[in-house]
Amino acid sequence: MSYWIFVLPGLLLAVLASLVTQTTFRRYSRVRPASGLTGAEAAERMLQSQGIVNVRIERGRGFLSDHFDPSANTLRLSPGVHDSPSLSAVGVACHEAGHALQKASGYGPLGLRSALVPVTQLGSQLAFPVILAGMVLHRPGLFQLGILLFAAVVAFTLITLPVEWNATARAKRLMVSSGIVTPQEQPHAASVLNAAFMTYVASAVSSILTLLYYLTLGGRRSD
Ligand SMILES: [Zn+2]
């Protein structure tokens, strides 16, 4: 019962944020920017406006699977973003271009997030089994190790927030100044990014609540 008290709010927020993101994306995927640019062209123009020419822009697979790969210095845009001349597509593409600009300008939190990826993968898989083992075997050290592993997951979801917000802020500013959208179109393209940011807030809230739940298990163990 108490498990759901901790997990349900984050879960509901995640579902809501995802629904709003998809609805907003679909709404503005039917609206063409006056510039007529596709997502791929928009990303290229935004990067060029900042003197960045060494970032590859590729067509990836899957709905809203868009991301920037820092190690390959490559933007992978989903087909619906890469090829589509819509406010949604240019919004998402410019956000991803914002991540490429973060790398080019040596934006600290991006490097920190990349460094946390391996620990986070380990943490999200091992934390609960280790915590459980600590409880069953009555080993407080093991229990604390599990908490520490999950704290890395929480740290990752928190450092993601400034990274995502900053990429969106760069996109909002540069999509107008580089002529990708007009100032009148900008709020519509930006609304997709604002909704997408809520999904990152949802996962941060989820991870914090899950950590709190694990900590209550520790309290129960010592009773
Ligand atoms: Zn992003």
Side-chain angles (χ1 to χ4, degrees), residues 95-96 99 113 164 167 200:
H95 169 91
E96 300 307 332
H99 286 305
R113 181 171 71 164
E164 294 303 329
Y200 294 105

Side-chain angles (χ1 to χ4, degrees), residues 101-155:
L101 291 180
Q102 288 174 335
K103 191 196 170 192
S105 66
Y107 174 74
L110 181 72
L112 190 58
R113 181 171 71 164
S114 305
L116 274 172
V117 168
V119 196
T120 306
Q121 282 168 346
L122 201 71
S124 57
Q125 284 167 18
L126 287 184
F128 188 63
V130 170
I131 287 169
L132 208 60
M135 288 170 64
V136 173
L137 304 172
H138 300 286
R139 292 283 159 83
L142 211 52
F143 178 84
Q144 284 157 8
L145 176 68
I147 293 290
L148 206 62
L149 281 168
F150 200 77
V153 177
V154 174

